[in-house]
Amino acid sequence: MTIDLTTITIAGARDALRTKKYSSVELTRAVLLRAKEKNATLNVYAEFFDDAVVAAENADRMIAEGKDTDLTGIPVAIKDNMLMEGKISASGSKILMNHRGVYDGTAVKKLKDAGAVILGRTNMDEFAMGSSSETCAYGPVKNPHDVTRVPGGSSGGSAAAVASVGALGALGSDTGGSIRQPAALCGVVGLKPTYGAVSRYGLMALASSLDQIGPFAKTVEDTELLFRAITGFDLLDSTSVPESKRGKPTHKEKLTIGVPESFIAMDGIDPDVRENFRSIVARLKDEGHHILPVELPTLPSALAVYYVLMPAEASANLARYDGIRYGLSKEAQRLIDVYTMSRGEGFGKEVRRRILLGTYVLSAGYYDAYYNKAVAVRRLITEELLRAFKGVDVIATPTSPSPAFALGEKTADPLKMYLEDIFTVPGNIAGVPGISVPSGTVLRGNTALPVGVQFMAAPFGEDTLFAVGRAVERIREFSR
Ligand code: GLN
């Protein structure tokens, strides 16, 4: 039978699998075929796994025996920085190209236990540093809406996989926006959960106080299904928050939506993006939600804070790639040469830049001036945001300041690239959840490029994010 992939969703496929309209083997083969066709131009996948069909057979068995979950038999993709037993995980880096995992990370294991079918690993910016998926050792990923443009990053492969239906859902990681920004640029939904909501066991650490694993999908409902499957307390991650401390979900018909007006009015935000955002907010108001202007004066400093803390932590985390313990190892007479040659050859330019930056801000002479100051401002930003959530249910901003940009457009100017993260980094700095929902398109020439609206909520307010995300989806359905 032929399966219509154009409108397929996880929830729809789940129902079709349960009612035996098609099997997981048929679905997996159909999605794989399409993914492989698309991969030639999009470069979404670093590798397709040859055991995907076996996993689909197992899923069909689970369904036949009535042991299925919402994700049983659903083909998904995993970002290249999550460990999978027996599989290579390279984090998009030359230094780890032969690095095989010896265990499944918790989020991956939870998906496997739920019966999801993992099709392969997706391309990303090297070690998740970037906003364009251009620094990947396997070559740049292309945006499915316009192959001359970037898909966003760093989880660009996962976002583009879902947008091109090379998977029905995917996992990414978000340290400063790497799920939400590519989701916006590819026209799909992406969720960065609360810090501590999803175990990072088996995720290659970038900046440990900021990293979170989260899902991509076409709809909010699908995103929620994936989130439910991977969230939960995990003893193997010391930052995992026990269930008893997560609070109860609240259900409100009408939400109070905070809009940080002066943040959004800032220079450097594309006027079309701003207009798209304002029209979505106006429609939410028409639907009866309360719109409240909020002042968050410290929020614009989040970007500077991020680009001190993130490289500092990354420089420490990446010290483990020394040519001895993992991956690429260059032979030399002296041990120090093994280190420098392996790292010099294995790491790309952006990774080296951040290691230098990070070591600099952590050095004895500059620690107080940069690192300690950033830690202090981080506290202010967090307090400011948490205070705001006493008066509003969510805070809305555009997800990224511009739509997908051309390949190569920002690679020569790292500061321009870093500006991509202006709206997303506050969520990581404060540890609060954030979702990006497609909010329409803006025109560049004749091409309609997707953009997204971001909502942040108080810690463990994911339910509120799903509620407001659904409201945006309803508005967009009516306006079609
Ligand atoms: N774009 C940001 C950066 O370059 C975010 C990366 C991420 O979230 N992994 O660091």
Side-chain angles (χ1 to χ4, degrees):
M1 79 159 292
T2 49
I3 303 171
D4 180 13
L5 293 182
T6 46
T7 55
I8 197 163
T9 60
I10 293 178
R14 170 202 59 197
D15 296 345
L17 290 168
R18 280 186 183 154
T19 53
K20 311 271 187 303
K21 274 203 183 125
Y22 45 76
S23 67
S24 172
V25 169
E26 287 168 314
L27 176 64
T28 300
R29 282 195 207 282
V31 176
L32 258 182
L33 188 70
R34 182 180 171 103
K36 286 180 179 171
E37 261 169 36
K38 295 263 171 194
N39 214 43
T41 39
L42 299 179
N43 193 34
V44 159
Y45 281 92
E47 183 187 353
F48 290 105
F49 296 151
D50 49 19
D51 53 6
V53 175
V54 176
E57 284 167 2
N58 285 336
D60 282 331
R61 222 165 293 131
M62 279 172 81
I63 296 167
E65 290 166 6
K67 294 185 181 141
D68 52 310
T69 74
D70 285 324
L71 296 180
T72 307
I74 303 296
V76 296
I78 306 289
K79 188 177 181 180
D80 192 23
N81 60 354
M82 292 175 213
L83 294 178
M84 287 176 264
E85 191 182 345
K87 302 277 193 273
I88 289 179
S89 296
S91 220
S93 181
K94 214 170 138 189
I95 209 165
L96 288 179
M97 264 190 178
N98 299 316
H99 176 257
R100 220 168 263 283
V102 289
Y103 62 91
D104 285 329
T106 299
V108 167
K109 184 170 184 311
K110 279 175 173 273
L111 286 187
K112 281 188 179 175
D113 290 348
V117 174
I118 298 174
L119 299 183
R121 58 189 168 105
T122 55
N123 283 327
M124 54 183 279
D125 278 304
E126 186 177 4
F127 282 109
M129 299 176 187
S131 307
S132 67
S133 303
E134 290 172 289
T135 68
C136 183
Y138 299 100
V141 183
K142 317 281 168 54
N143 191 311
H145 298 269
D146 178 349
V147 295
T148 67
R149 290 174 189 271
V150 304
S154 65
S155 317
S158 286
V162 173
S164 60
V165 205
L168 302 197
L171 292 190
S173 64
D174 190 312
T175 304
S178 278
I179 293 175
R180 289 159 288 163
Q181 184 256 14
L185 271 46
C186 287
V188 298
V189 181
L191 171 78
K192 181 204 89 79
T194 308
Y195 188 75
V198 176
S199 168
R200 288 130 19 126
Y201 182 65
L203 169 72
M204 293 182 197
L206 173 56
S208 309
S209 77
L210 304 162
D211 298 341
Q212 259 301 285
I213 291 177
F216 288 96
K218 283 224 273 198
T219 65
V220 173
E221 181 184 16
D222 287 1
T223 306
E224 185 170 355
L225 292 176
L226 285 165
F227 172 68
R228 299 266 169 252
I230 59 173
T231 185
F233 176 66
D234 184 11
L235 264 181
L236 298 171
D237 175 355
S238 62
T239 63
S240 178
V241 175
E243 305 291 343
S244 59
K245 298 222 164 77
R246 295 184 179 211
K248 295 232 160 31
T250 48
H251 293 287
K252 273 194 197 167
E253 274 302 305
K254 300 296 172 202
L255 298 165
T256 306
I257 301 172
V259 178
E261 289 293 348
S262 35
F263 194 27
I264 290 149
M266 262 174 32
D267 281 349
I269 319 295
D270 185 283
D272 296 342
V273 168
R274 203 181 279 129
E275 194 187 307
N276 170 278
F277 173 75
R278 295 213 192 284
S279 75
I280 285 288
V281 171
R283 298 295 305 276
L284 284 166
K285 188 174 180 193
D286 293 345
E287 295 299 312
H289 300 286
H290 311 291
I291 311 296
L292 205 68
V294 287
E295 277 313 313
L296 300 166
T298 323
L299 224 55
S301 307
L303 196 62
V305 167
Y306 175 81
Y307 277 99
V308 172
L309 295 182
M310 182 266 157
E313 293 185 27
S315 70
N317 275 328
L318 268 60
R320 76 190 71 194
Y321 306 109
D322 55 5
I324 308 285
R325 284 176 285 186
Y326 310 88
L328 183 79
S329 182
K330 302 302 286 180
E331 261 181 57
Q333 289 296 320
R334 300 182 313 160
L335 185 59
I336 186 76
D337 295 331
V338 175
Y339 293 156
T340 54
M341 285 163 61
S342 304
R343 286 168 70 83
E345 191 167 308
F347 287 144
K349 213 167 148 191
E350 182 61 24
V351 174
R352 277 181 277 156
R353 178 171 14 241
R354 299 214 191 178
I355 291 172
L356 285 173
L357 210 63
T359 349
Y360 180 80
V361 300
L362 287 177
S363 60
Y366 294 100
Y367 190 91
D368 277 335
Y370 294 107
Y371 184 76
N372 264 350
K373 199 162 271 171
V375 170
V377 181
R378 178 183 200 166
R379 195 170 322 123
L380 294 179
I381 294 167
T382 308
E383 283 167 4
E384 188 170 284
L385 267 176
L386 294 184
R387 212 178 308 123
F389 288 125
K390 292 200 187 330
V392 298
D393 297 308
V394 294
I395 290 171
T397 66
T399 306
S400 81
S402 61
F405 46 93
L407 285 152
E409 189 180 322
K410 297 189 182 179
T411 37
D413 189 345
L415 289 184
K416 257 197 197 154
M417 190 73 91
Y418 298 169
L419 263 180
E420 275 295 300
D421 310 325
I422 181 98
F423 293 124
T424 47
V425 290
N428 302 74
I429 290 198
V432 301
I435 196 168
S436 177
V437 186
S439 59
T441 56
V442 300
L443 274 180
R444 287 294 178 271
N446 291 328
T447 318
L449 297 173
V451 290
V453 55
Q454 172 187 243
F455 299 97
M456 289 184 282
F460 298 102
E462 276 85 355
D463 283 292
T464 313
L465 295 182
F466 297 135
V468 72
R470 281 200 195 90
V472 172
E473 283 180 337
R474 276 194 300 270
I475 287 171
R476 295 206 44 232
E477 249 157 53
F478 286 125
S479 59
R480 269 201 193 112

